[in-house]
Amino acid sequence: MTQVDTLASNATLAPSREAPPASRSRWFSAYFGTPGNALITILCLGTVFALAKLAIGWLFVDATFVGTPAECKATSGACWPFLSAKMRYIFFGFYPFEEQWRPLTAMLLFLGACLVSMMPKVWGRGLLIAWVAVVLPVLYVLMAGGYFGLTVVPTTQWGGLPLSFMLSFIGLACALPLGIALALARASSLPAIRVLGVGFIEIVRGVPLISILFMATVMLPLFMPNGITIDKLVRAQVAIILFAAAYIAEIVRGGLQAVPNGQVEAGHSLGLHYWQIMRKIVLPQALKKVIPPLVSLFIGFFQDTTLVTIVGLLDFLDTVRTAMRDPQWQGIAVLEGYVFAAVVYFVFSALMGAYSRFLEQYFRTTHD
């Protein structure tokens, strides 16, 4: 018998005991395992409880839900009649009051088209044709008018939530293919193409969005021939597209670098040319890897469209601020508008985040 066998035979086994619940033990030790952890947990819970009590009191218990500005002034809670009185202006800005059914219809159509486009089973060339040939023209006709007996409404009167949707979602949809092209240009083996791609990306990323908006709105008309003008809204939209494309290009370039070179070599061995390799092999893998940063960028640009107010466009957040400057409500409705705007931005940002997680799961289960 070896020494190991001798030690094993002489060893006394400890009596078996039932293992404690793992999840409960881990949870308790994480929050109350030491006196310091317990103190921090209690302080955090107390702070959260106190803040929640104040918030519930201001939002609901002491709030005024129906009434006049004078009645709101007499209470210490939120003044929700402000939102009901200013809701149409907050959503549609200076769009003519009797024509506000048009931006409402356009917004519902846009959201419905986005909802349908989120379903993987409808993805394809037909979906792109439907957007270009049907959805976008109908949205433009509804907003601008001039056809089918609709009154013409200039873009200077567009505002509110439809304007924010158009600047962010349409801008990012147009910036995505441009960003992919810039990423391919930066990774190109042709020196001239690579230099142009690097130059554009670094120049645009080196200046803030405010500067590009100012250049598109103030400086661009100075270089145009006499008598030729470009609509301010179009200029702001193009500026957002160019700015977003530079950031998308860097995200996509990271995805391209994550694809092994063997994938490209395999494509060459099959006799595929460059664009076939990019379209069928490299880009599908690269874009799948960069879904989280792309969606984070989209959420950030959806919120950054508020910067267009500096060039005279009235987006959703600016309509909220303008409504709160009404002398009838000034000093009474101080936070209500910002709370409502925060809820709207949070809802759409959370939906985009949830769709990002859905895409990650979809590609993981169907394309791995």
Side-chain angles (χ1 to χ4, degrees):
M1 181 180 295
T2 63
Q3 184 178 2
V4 176
D5 295 334
T6 304
L7 293 175
S9 62
N10 294 332
T12 303
L13 297 177
S16 60
R17 292 183 299 176
E18 183 179 356
S23 59
R24 179 180 177 183
S25 175
R26 191 181 303 113
W27 180 89
F28 185 84
S29 62
Y31 293 98
F32 298 96
T34 63
N37 285 356
L39 178 61
I40 294 174
T41 300
I42 293 173
L43 289 176
C44 291
L45 289 175
T47 303
V48 170
F49 177 78
L51 293 176
K53 183 178 179 181
L54 291 175
I56 293 174
W58 184 80
L59 291 170
F60 304 107
V61 178
D62 300 326
T64 301
F65 292 93
V66 179
T68 62
E71 294 174 348
C72 286
K73 196 173 183 179
T75 61
S76 59
C79 180
W80 299 124
F82 163 76
L83 291 180
S84 59
K86 295 292 183 179
M87 185 62 69
R88 296 185 68 166
Y89 175 78
I90 290 174
F91 273 117
F92 307 118
F94 292 111
Y95 206 92
F97 187 84
E98 64 279 1
E99 300 286 339
Q100 287 181 357
W101 65 270
R102 289 160 51 183
L104 176 61
T105 305
M107 187 170 62
L108 294 177
L109 174 62
F110 176 79
L111 293 176
C114 289
L115 184 61
V116 173
S117 302
M118 293 166 66
M119 303 177 183
K121 62 182 180 180
V122 302
W123 292 349
R125 188 175 301 176
L127 179 62
L128 179 61
I129 295 174
W131 269 95
V132 175
V134 179
V135 178
L136 293 180
V138 171
L139 293 177
Y140 177 78
V141 170
L142 283 172
M143 292 294 297
Y147 302 92
F148 308 107
L150 297 177
T151 306
V152 176
V153 179
T155 57
T156 54
Q157 293 182 293
W158 297 12
L161 202 56
L163 180 63
S164 295
F165 280 148
M166 183 182 67
L167 290 174
S168 57
F169 288 93
I170 295 180
L172 290 168
C174 296
L176 181 60
L178 179 58
I180 294 174
L182 288 170
L184 294 176
R186 183 159 189 169
S188 175
S189 58
L190 300 176
I193 300 297
R194 185 171 63 252
V195 168
L196 290 175
V198 171
F200 178 87
I201 292 172
E202 295 303 327
I203 290 174
V204 173
R205 292 175 69 238
V207 295
L209 178 59
I210 294 177
S211 301
I212 297 180
L213 288 172
F214 265 122
M215 291 179 62
T217 306
V218 180
M219 296 183 63
L220 182 61
L222 300 178
F223 298 95
M224 301 297 295
N226 292 331
I228 298 179
T229 59
I230 301 177
D231 188 83
K232 182 186 296 185
L233 179 60
V234 175
R235 283 178 273 163
Q237 184 74 86
V238 171
I240 291 175
I241 291 173
L242 295 178
F243 190 79
Y247 283 86
I248 291 174
E250 285 298 278
I251 294 176
V252 174
R253 186 171 70 92
L256 293 175
Q257 292 178 340
V259 178
N261 291 331
Q263 300 288 316
V264 178
E265 296 172 358
H268 285 302
S269 67
L270 294 174
L272 302 178
H273 58 71
Y274 174 81
W275 291 111
Q276 288 177 324
I277 294 173
M278 289 296 112
R279 182 170 61 89
K280 296 181 178 181
I281 299 177
V282 177
L283 281 178
Q285 299 181 63
L287 294 178
K288 182 179 69 172
K289 296 176 184 295
V290 297
I291 288 175
L294 276 179
V295 174
S296 297
L297 181 71
F298 289 177
I299 293 174
F301 270 94
F302 172 62
Q303 298 168 357
D304 286 344
T305 53
T306 56
L307 294 174
V308 298
T309 184
I310 65 174
V311 295
L313 296 176
L314 206 65
D315 77 304
F316 174 64
L317 185 60
D318 203 47
T319 56
V320 172
R321 287 195 292 255
T322 307
M324 294 172 66
R325 298 190 192 106
D326 187 340
Q328 186 179 8
W329 298 94
Q330 195 168 14
I332 300 173
V334 180
L335 296 176
E336 290 80 355
Y338 289 116
V339 170
F340 177 71
V343 170
V344 171
Y345 280 113
F346 172 78
V347 168
F348 286 102
S349 299
L351 289 176
M352 284 189 280
Y355 186 62
S356 169
R357 293 187 292 273
F358 164 76
L359 286 180
E360 293 180 59
Q361 183 64 28
Y362 172 77
F363 285 116
R364 185 180 300 116
T365 56
T366 60
H367 292 73
D368 280 350

